[in-house]
Amino acid sequence: MGMGEFIDQVARSGLSGKGGAGFPSVVKMERFAFQPGQRKCLVVNGSEHEPGSMKDRYLLESHARTVLEGALCLAAKLGASEVWFAVNENSEAAIRSIKHEVEAFNAEQLGAAYVLSDIALHVDRVPDHYIVGEETALLEALEGRTAMPRKRPPFPIESGLFGVPTLVHNVETVAHVPYIVLFGGDHHRTLGDAGKGMTLCTLGDEFVNAGVHLVPLGIPVRELLYGIGKGLRSGERIVAVQPGGPSSGFLTEQDFECSFDHVALAAAGSALGCAAVRAYGEGTDMVRVMVEVASFFEEGSCGQCPQCRMETRMLAAILRQFAAGKGSEKLLQQIPKVIDANVSKGICGLIKMPVAPVLTGLHKFEGEFRKLYGTNAASQRDNKTSG
Ligand SMILES: Cc1cc2nc3c(=O)[nH]c(=O)nc-3n(C[C@H](O)[C@H](O)[C@H](O)COP(=O)(O)O)c2cc1C
Ligand code: SF4
């Protein structure tokens, strides 16, 4: 299969990035293939610090050969001279497993008829911090510097690792490639009940059937929660869900017929993201959940953009005030103002990440916020009366 045929098969498969944004993979691959230069890099992003996501670790631990084959297909067909597997430093088993496959492959190459040994393979540990997963921060980490996102342009496709054209793909995206090559793009796209292909998702520990599952894209969210996930261990009814990690908007029961795919979830104000699914039962304090989400992004910000520092800190601080019973109508009204003043002003996508969960949470759990505010107002009134 030549480069043109390979790109055509990926296009037919409809493969989209599994690292979170869901960008059509073929667009990046094609642009990379036509970049000039002898030295070009493929970086396989296995940093996976997203809370609840385990799919990349699972693939590297249990299907490292598939990940390696996918990377070799991409490198051979798109003209990468180097492949870098960037793995979270805390995923010891994943690092061992991919290293083992790389060594075994290098040994197989000695004396093989069709030699791929001109593709240099590297396995590198990268720090266990959320921002390291952002592709340009990852490149900084691989170059031995502090992982902070780079300003764009230039984009990594033009000037990435060590200043050469670089294609960055998530581990799962890469793992789909051998199957597209083996069975063809059309076949890959029609896998699954809804004919939209398959994706890995991680169901949180709160599910009866927790863990990593290969699921058809396009099934109703309800089917995922109660059919595949078998509901909550606690036996509670599920009242809210984040289907794509902490940056995805909250869905509530009226949204559960929505399809589990990029387009439908985005239309419902949420996202497929990296498909780390968290579900919340009827007894959950949703304001506290929102505090945890906002605090995660506050801690995850690398701090180089003042607007991101300000936005993530203020959102977390306001939500903490509510959780502590010190909310007010004025504080509630500050939230959209903080977002509007900052959101498009960051170097990387992290600055946008708390927006969907905070805004959908405010809208969907408004009653809980008002109750806290109401309680506070009532206690202030009581204090005044008793004073
Ligand atoms: C704050 C932040 C964290 C990210 N973390 C990850 C990650 O852990 N793994 C990942 O594959 N992509 C992550 N991404 C997305 C990457 O920047 C990049 O888009 C992705 O690795 C490209 O691969 P794909 O096209 O196969 O999805 C993150 C992005 C941002 C803004
Ligand atoms: S937007 Fe936030 S996380 Fe991204 S580079 Fe700026 S400060 Fe760092």
Side-chain angles (χ1 to χ4, degrees), residues 77 179 247 271 278 301 323 346 363 376:
K77 300 300 163 199
Y179 297 99
S247 62
R278 291 303 311 267
S301 165
H363 175 61
N376 180 36

Side-chain angles (χ1 to χ4, degrees), residues 11 48 50 65 76 88 113 117 136 231-232 240 245 301 319 323 337 351 372:
E48 198 175 43
E50 193 103 7
R65 184 74 189 196
N88 188 311
S117 57
T136 59
L232 297 184
S301 165
L319 291 169
K337 288 185 194 155
I351 197 166
L372 285 170

Side-chain angles (χ1 to χ4, degrees), residues 131 148-149 300-306 308-309 346-351:
I131 200 61
M148 290 227 189
S301 165
C302 78
Q304 67 174 312
C305 313
C308 178
R309 282 202 309 269
I347 289 176
C348 85
L350 188 139
I351 197 166

Side-chain angles (χ1 to χ4, degrees), residues 107-176:
E108 281 165 31
Q109 285 294 290
L110 301 170
Y114 178 57
V115 180
L116 285 168
S117 57
D118 51 345
I119 300 168
L121 300 171
H122 306 266
V123 179
D124 235 357
R125 304 164 173 263
V126 291
D128 180 32
H129 193 279
Y130 187 53
I131 200 61
V132 179
E134 194 282 333
E135 58 185 6
T136 59
L138 185 65
L139 301 180
E140 290 288 298
L142 288 174
E143 289 182 15
R145 284 192 291 273
T146 307
M148 290 227 189
R150 296 176 181 171
K151 279 195 181 135
R152 278 156 277 214
F155 290 89
I157 290 269
E158 293 135 15
S159 175
L161 193 60
F162 307 113
V164 305
T166 302
L167 177 66
V168 183
H169 270 308
N170 171 260
V171 166
E172 187 193 344
T173 314
V174 172
H176 281 268

